[in-house]
Amino acid sequence: MPFPPPPRTLLGPRRRSLLVSAAGAALLVGCSTGDDSGTTGGSESAAEHARARAAADSETLLQHYDAVLAAHPTLAERLDPLRAEVVRHATAFGGSSSTPSATATASPSASASASASAVPATPSDALAGLAAAERALADRRAKALLDLPGELARLLASVAAAGAAHAYLLTEDAK
């Protein structure tokens, strides 16, 4: 007697969610040294240096957001939630970022010194510049994961993933 064919709708997670879960698990397992004491290779100062660099990178990105918001206040509704995330990232790494909205605190002199390069004249170019900055920082953070202890590596991985998502959100309307 032949067996009946399996039902077309399978129960359980879909292939895409399994792949994403497996990739995330591999990233976290690959980043962990098995020892979450805060040192890797006997160098606690290297971890602290990486944490300080991550905080400074987030604060620099925050200044970029502030410069764009000062030049293009019409983007505030779109950028304020992403900027708030960048503030949380800087704080998570021990940075001293303030949480007020850039539209309430940005001044022309602050925006002039906030970004090494001038803010593009059009909002779409400014968004593209922010997306490129988010993407570049996310890439640098992803590369730095291999040299960090478990907890810090996980935090950096999470923030790198958020930065990649920000880059996507910033370019979503351009497509």
Side-chain angles (χ1 to χ4, degrees), residues 61-168:
L61 183 63
L62 181 62
Q63 291 173 348
H64 195 156
Y65 271 90
D66 289 346
V68 169
L69 284 166
H72 302 288
T74 58
L75 296 174
E77 184 178 335
R78 183 171 183 184
L79 295 182
D80 280 346
L82 300 177
R83 182 192 180 278
E85 286 294 317
V86 173
V87 168
R88 283 191 279 279
H89 298 162
T91 303
F93 289 118
S96 60
S97 294
S98 60
T99 56
S101 169
T103 54
T105 61
S107 67
S109 63
S111 65
S113 64
S115 179
S117 61
V119 175
T122 65
S124 61
D125 288 344
L127 289 175
L130 271 175
E134 286 273 15
R135 194 174 302 108
L137 183 55
D139 290 346
R140 277 197 320 268
R141 286 177 168 165
K143 289 177 185 173
L145 291 173
L146 300 175
D147 300 327
L148 299 176
E151 249 347 277
L152 182 56
R154 284 187 278 277
L155 176 60
L156 200 62
S158 176
V159 173
H166 289 181
Y168 170 78

